[in-house]
Amino acid sequence: MNGPIRKVSVLVMVMFLALMVNMSYSYVFRTESLRSDPNNRRVRDAEFGTDRGDILVGNTPVATSSAVNDRYQFQRKYPQGTLYAPVTGYFSFMYGSSALEQSQNQALTGQSDAQFLQRMVDTATGKTPVGATVQTTLDARAQRAAYSALGDRPGAVVAMDYSTGAVLAMVSTPSYDPNQLASHDLTASQKAWSSLTNNSDQPMLNRSAKNVYPPGSTFKLVTSAAALTDGMSSSSMIPAGKSYRLPNSTAVINNADDCGGSSITLAQALKTSCNTAYAQLGVRLGDDKIRAQAQKFGFGATQLADIGAVASRFPANPDAAQTAMSAIGQFEVAATPLQMCMVAAGVANDGVVMEPYIVSQVRGADLNVLSNHNPRQLSVAMSATDARQLQQMMVGVVQGGTGTRAQISGVTVGGKTGTARSDGKRPPYAWFVAWANDPKVAVAVFVQDSGATTAETSGGRFAGPIAKRVIEALR
């Protein structure tokens, strides 16, 4: 064999060897990622013809599949589509899936590792594979109350059991109907997708967990926690006043109402939502202490990966003026309603922040439990002693401060109102975060466009009553 032929032979052998190595590597290490790739149409065809498992709220399916007489064999349905869309997401032949339909896809299609034995039995007996059932933590009463209370206003509500982290309600408005995207009429599905994605109201955006907004005065809870952790008490005196010029700046901040003097207690500052007091407190504490406190409540970390939640943030290197604005929830502070619910929950739970979760259990077609979620502690945001002081400060807000519209007879409710500027062209955002002792629930309400003036929203005119309705629905 002459030299050139030998070289070609070696090259061909090396190429075959590389192909074999790549195929072996792909089979062993890439099978799962290739199979779950949303662009893999072969897998999508197979999944779309699967008897997909139910997603449950209580004992009620909010996503289910039924047999149909077409080439796909099973139709995915959402009996209460718009109500639960932010949690269930959609399952579409054309556009893949989102939220729980995406994160729980392996279990819902019967393809998870825990279902291997059942797949083998189904194959041996010739049975059609059936997906697992996903049990959520949602409470139908809280979900309906939040959705109804928000009405046609764009916004979000998150409620959770602060002792466990179980999410009891997750609402985002305006919402959308995932049945339109799950349709087997692919032309109709395409039209629905185009209409939804081009809608300026963004009905497919989960405002409760997948977008961040300036939290306004609700962030004063974090600043208060930082102050208490730093050695202050609810009765500590802090400078207030009618106005405050920011350090090294000509900008001046004012208060919506009278705070009660030029020097007031920390409790009074929270009760009246005193901007000048908290701005000066922020400068006194410094950005590092406030940031550290925010991180203890969950800022900077992603929670609820099941639905693709995003992390909330506190600015990295603010100057003194920016720190003052950050202390009142402005400048570049940005949070999801989920995150602000976690803040209220941590305070209510004596400083312990529980990891939020929305899937409590996954059960196979034979009803055997495949996975079970046990409540887990995420962090200790503050000492129990300091948390109880902040609890009483929040109770003061509801009993005689800016949050009186959230009062419930016979129930201890602590809360904090919030107002945040948006783009300067629309009314400010309205916030209210709260907790109750009976039931043990924390709630965050965000109204993106309340149509109110700053004074009206800071007084809890819109968001406070929504939180009240959610708490009452759970009693």
Side-chain angles (χ1 to χ4, degrees):
M1 182 181 296
N2 58 33
I5 295 177
R6 185 181 301 110
K7 291 178 181 178
V8 170
S9 300
V10 171
L11 177 61
V12 171
M13 289 178 63
V14 170
M15 291 176 66
F16 268 109
L17 180 62
L19 179 62
M20 292 174 63
V21 169
N22 183 60
M23 290 179 63
S24 298
Y25 176 83
S26 296
Y27 183 80
V28 175
F29 298 105
R30 298 182 62 204
T31 297
E32 182 57 31
S33 63
L34 290 172
R35 198 190 69 76
S36 59
D37 190 325
N39 294 315
N40 190 333
R41 294 295 293 270
R42 181 179 178 184
V43 171
R44 193 185 306 176
D45 286 350
E47 287 184 349
F48 214 62
T50 300
D51 188 2
R52 201 170 176 84
D54 292 344
I55 299 176
L56 301 179
V57 171
N59 294 320
T60 303
V62 295
T64 189
S65 295
S66 59
V68 292
N69 188 24
D70 64 21
R71 72 187 184 97
Y72 299 115
Q73 300 182 30
F74 293 95
Q75 171 67 64
R76 195 63 167 167
K77 296 180 179 179
Y78 304 88
Q80 302 177 68
T82 56
L83 180 59
Y84 292 103
V87 177
T88 63
Y90 56 81
F91 180 65
S92 168
F93 182 83
M94 299 293 295
Y95 305 104
S97 55
S98 67
L100 290 186
E101 289 280 31
Q102 182 180 70
S103 64
Q104 298 294 322
N105 184 63
Q106 299 300 296
L108 290 169
T109 57
Q111 297 299 315
S112 69
D113 292 342
Q115 294 161 283
F116 176 77
L117 182 59
Q118 185 62 49
R119 289 200 301 275
M120 295 299 98
V121 172
D122 290 343
T123 299
T125 59
K127 290 179 59 179
T128 301
V130 178
T133 295
V134 173
Q135 180 71 57
T136 72
T137 59
L138 297 178
D139 187 293
R141 299 168 300 171
Q143 189 80 0
R144 286 194 297 267
Y147 188 79
S148 174
L150 275 173
D152 58 1
R153 292 187 291 265
V157 176
V158 178
M160 68 171 63
D161 181 333
Y162 58 74
S163 67
T164 65
V167 175
L168 304 176
M170 179 167 282
V171 169
S172 177
T173 56
S175 188
Y176 70 100
D177 185 0
N179 287 295
Q180 296 178 330
L181 301 179
S183 172
H184 290 184
D185 183 341
L186 302 187
T187 300
S189 178
Q190 286 179 299
K191 289 181 179 179
W193 178 266
S194 178
S195 176
L196 290 169
T197 55
N198 290 315
N199 190 328
S200 60
D201 290 334
Q202 297 180 288
M204 296 180 71
L205 174 63
N206 183 354
R207 290 170 170 82
S208 63
K210 298 194 69 173
N211 209 40
V212 293
Y213 307 91
S217 292
T218 59
F219 190 79
K220 290 171 183 173
L221 292 175
V222 178
T223 306
S224 297
L228 293 169
T229 299
D230 197 49
M232 296 179 66
S233 70
S234 60
S235 59
S236 295
M237 301 299 293
I238 55 178
K242 295 180 179 179
S243 63
Y244 172 63
R245 193 176 77 174
L246 298 176
N248 304 314
S249 171
T250 58
V252 175
I253 62 172
N254 300 287
N255 299 306
D257 296 299
D258 179 33
C259 296
S262 60
S263 182
I264 59 177
T265 65
L266 182 61
Q268 177 69 9
L270 191 74
K271 183 177 181 179
T272 59
S273 197
C274 190
N275 287 335
T276 57
Y278 273 95
Q280 294 176 82
L281 179 59
V283 174
R284 171 180 166 179
L285 291 170
D287 64 291
D288 287 342
K289 290 180 180 178
I290 302 175
R291 184 183 304 103
Q293 185 64 68
Q295 290 172 347
K296 290 178 182 179
F297 279 113
F299 275 74
T302 301
Q303 309 298 334
L304 282 187
D306 279 342
I307 58 166
V310 299
S312 299
R313 60 178 184 265
F314 185 87
N317 296 295
D319 60 25
Q322 293 165 344
T323 298
M325 294 300 293
S326 298
I328 62 173
Q330 294 287 171
F331 184 49
E332 294 180 354
V333 180
T336 62
L338 169 65
Q339 174 61 74
M340 296 315 298
C341 186
M342 291 171 62
V343 171
V347 174
N349 200 37
D350 289 344
V352 178
V353 181
M354 301 300 290
E355 180 183 66
Y357 66 101
I358 205 164
V359 173
S360 60
Q361 194 176 80
V362 177
R363 297 189 296 272
D366 57 0
L367 301 183
N368 284 329
V369 176
L370 303 179
S371 66
N372 210 25
H373 188 283
N374 294 314
R376 291 191 290 265
Q377 178 180 308
L378 183 67
S379 64
V380 178
M382 56 197 306
S383 71
T385 300
D386 290 341
R388 287 167 190 152
Q389 286 194 76
L390 190 47
Q391 289 169 17
Q392 290 306 307
M393 289 166 61
M394 292 178 71
V395 170
V397 171
V398 174
Q399 289 184 345
T402 59
T404 56
R405 291 174 181 266
Q407 292 177 2
I408 301 174
S409 178
V411 179
T412 300
V413 178
K416 181 67 192 82
T417 55
T419 305
R421 298 174 184 172
S422 53
D423 57 9
K425 299 178 182 178
R426 67 172 77 187
Y429 299 145
W431 286 84
F432 190 77
V433 299
W435 55 265
N437 68 333
D438 181 22
K440 292 183 177 181
V441 60
V443 184
V445 177
F446 166 70
V447 180
Q448 186 169 334
D449 186 354
S450 64
T453 66
T454 300
E456 288 173 327
T457 43
S458 64
R461 177 181 175 186
F462 291 98
I466 294 174
K468 177 180 178 178
R469 286 180 61 177
V470 174
I471 294 170
E472 288 178 328
L474 290 166
R475 297 194 69 204

